[in-house]
Amino acid sequence: MRTRPVSMSKLHSILRLKYSAQLSRREIARSLNISAGTVANYLKKANELGVNQWPTPHEKQKNTFLSTKLRRFSTRKKRPSTPE
């Protein structure tokens, strides 16, 4: 079961609150009304893609970059199918 990706505004807020405001994952989760695990997963994926500062570098600041690279990232792993 896949979860819906977070909105672009929440994605921007996760990055801004982490790198500009220096908030913890729990504080970010509480302020955006999402789980701390979701915040952790998006921050991990952003870091893997080289997005680890705010504001993001000019070439990575475009919505298309964040949309195509981060929003497609599923925060849940697929469960293995159970044999019948």
Side-chain angles (χ1 to χ4, degrees):
M1 181 171 160
R2 294 183 73 184
T3 58
R4 271 192 299 170
V6 297
S7 67
M8 282 305 295
S9 63
K10 282 193 179 183
L11 180 55
H12 281 248
S13 295
I14 289 170
L15 296 172
R16 180 180 50 81
L17 292 171
K18 177 64 179 174
Y19 299 116
S20 183
Q22 302 290 314
L23 295 182
S24 71
R25 292 174 180 155
R26 286 183 181 174
E27 291 170 323
I28 295 168
R30 202 173 310 126
S31 69
L32 298 176
N33 198 28
I34 57 178
S35 75
T38 298
V39 173
N41 287 331
Y42 275 99
L43 288 173
K44 179 182 175 189
K45 186 64 174 178
N47 193 37
E48 290 172 2
L49 295 170
V51 181
N52 53 10
Q53 61 183 342
W54 188 264
T56 58
H58 180 68
E59 66 274 2
K60 294 180 180 175
Q61 194 168 14
K62 296 179 182 176
N63 283 346
T64 55
F65 175 82
L66 291 174
S67 178
T68 59
K69 299 296 184 183
L70 290 176
R71 288 195 65 211
R72 287 188 194 169
F73 172 67
S74 175
T75 58
R76 288 194 178 183
K77 294 182 181 175
K78 291 183 181 179
R79 291 184 180 176
S81 59
T82 56
E84 293 182 27

